[in-house]
Amino acid sequence: MPLSVQTFGLLVLSNLFMTFAWYGHLKHQAAKPWLVAALVSWGIALFEYLLQVPANRIGYSGGYSLAQLKIAQEVITLAVFVPFAVFYMGQPLKLDYLWAGLCLIGAVYFIFRA
C-alpha cells in the first residue's frame, strides 16, 4: 500500500475518533457531569492515538516532514469536522468553512512545495 495512503488514511480514521471524542459528548452527554464526558472521551481518544501514532511514524519514516504531517492533520481535521458539524451535530453549513479551507490550501502549498 502506498505511503501516502497508509499515512493519510490512518490520520483520517484517527481524526474521526478524535472529533467524536472532542465534540460528540455535547450531543449525547450534555446533561451529565463533565467528568463522565471526559472519561468517555478519553476512552474514544484511545482509539485515535492507536491510529495517529502509527500514521505519524509511518509518514515521518517515509519522508514526510513534521510540518507536512501537522498541516495534513489540520486539513484532515477540517475535512472531517465540517460534515460532522453539519450532519451529525445539526449545525448550519457556513461560508466560513470555505474560507478556512482556502487558507489551509495555502498552508498546504507552502509546506509541501519543493
Side-chain angles (χ1 to χ4, degrees):
M1 190 176 301
L3 174 72
S4 60
V5 172
Q6 292 178 55
T7 301
F8 302 122
L10 286 171
L11 287 175
V12 168
L13 293 173
S14 75
N15 203 276
L16 286 167
F17 281 104
M18 188 49 78
T19 300
F20 276 94
W22 284 1
Y23 304 108
H25 63 88
L26 298 174
K27 182 173 183 173
H28 296 292
Q29 298 178 344
K32 295 186 180 174
W34 74 266
L35 184 58
V36 172
L39 291 173
V40 170
S41 292
W42 286 344
I44 295 169
L46 171 64
F47 295 101
E48 184 266 343
Y49 285 108
L50 292 174
L51 296 167
Q52 187 181 45
V53 170
N56 285 324
R57 291 174 69 97
I58 291 166
Y60 191 73
S61 67
Y64 289 110
S65 72
L66 188 62
Q68 289 172 329
L69 290 168
K70 181 59 182 167
I71 293 300
Q73 180 62 45
E74 296 305 326
V75 171
I76 290 166
T77 296
L78 186 63
V80 168
F81 177 77
V82 172
F84 172 85
V86 172
F87 297 115
Y88 186 76
M89 295 296 288
Q91 299 292 303
L93 182 61
K94 296 180 179 183
L95 198 54
D96 291 341
Y97 296 136
L98 174 63
W99 306 136
L102 290 173
C103 289
L104 286 174
I105 289 171
V108 168
Y109 169 76
F110 288 112
I111 291 297
F112 281 89
R113 69 183 170 161

